Structures are given as C-alpha cells and as structure tokens.
Amino acid sequence: MISLPLAAPSEPWTILVDILFFFLASAACAYYFYYYKRKDLLGKFWGSTFVAGIGALIVFATFQTYIRDIIMWLMSPKIGSTQLSNVNLVAIFLGGFIALYIMNRINHNKERRD
C-alpha cells in the first residue's frame, strides 16, 4: 500500500494541494453568499469566488501567524509557561453557541421586546 504524505513541504504536490484548499474555501464562501444568502455579487458565483480567493490570500499572507497564536492560546490558555486552564475554549464557545442557536430555533426565532 502506498502512503501519500500530503502537505509535507518536500513533496512536489504540496503547492497543488494548497491551491486546491484555497480554491475550495473561496468557493465555499462564494456559495454561502451567492446561493444561500442570495446576495447580488459582481461576477455572480465565479466572480465572488475570485474575490473571496484574493481576500483569503491577503489575510493569509498578513495575519496567519497572529491568528494561529490566538487559536492555539484559546485551545490551551496559558500565560508564559503557566497553564491557566485545561479547558479548550474553542470547544466551550462552539458548544454554547450551538446550544443557544438550537434554543432560539425552538423558540421560533422571536425578537426581544424591551
């Protein structure tokens, strides 16, 4: 059986896999805005895929390390080498928001009347 070590930096198809990930993520964003949210975008689906790809490249090139540091801190909060908690904050917030979303849908998405 042949194993393919994808995303290994020394392999020749790494760049192609990276391009495929960028394209699929951009297409998913374009699909969400164009078909699901039904927004009128310049160039329709393919134009919005292109714009989403450019935006993804810009954010990837400028903020990748900062975003990675923030996510890693949220998964294991610590100050210096002192571990603050053993709780994954990403999982906690995701679970909380999903539970509130389900409760809101059960309540028929009603607005507050203050």
Side-chain angles (χ1 to χ4, degrees):
M1 183 170 161
I2 299 172
S3 69
L4 296 174
L6 295 178
S10 62
E11 298 298 328
W13 54 76
T14 302
I15 294 173
L16 294 176
V17 171
D18 292 345
I19 290 170
L20 181 67
F21 270 94
F22 268 102
F23 175 76
L24 291 176
S26 301
C29 293
Y31 177 85
Y32 176 74
F33 275 94
Y34 187 72
Y35 290 111
Y36 183 74
K37 299 291 269 180
R38 303 198 46 82
K39 301 294 181 187
D40 187 24
L41 301 169
L42 182 65
K44 302 189 187 221
F45 175 74
W46 292 111
S48 59
T49 300
F50 178 74
V51 170
I54 296 298
L57 285 173
I58 290 171
V59 171
F60 176 75
T62 56
F63 299 117
Q64 176 188 4
T65 56
Y66 304 115
I67 293 171
R68 179 179 287 154
D69 291 342
I70 291 169
I71 296 298
M72 293 304 288
W73 188 87
L74 287 172
M75 291 188 337
S76 179
K78 59 176 86 172
I79 296 177
S81 62
T82 305
Q83 186 78 26
L84 295 176
S85 174
N86 292 325
V87 175
N88 183 342
L89 297 175
V90 174
I92 290 173
F93 283 116
L94 186 63
F97 280 115
I98 289 172
L100 289 175
Y101 175 79
I102 291 170
M103 186 179 77
N104 181 45
R105 299 307 291 176
I106 290 171
N107 199 28
H108 302 292
N109 203 15
K110 292 183 183 174
E111 297 282 329
R112 277 189 343 167
R113 290 182 235 154
D114 288 333

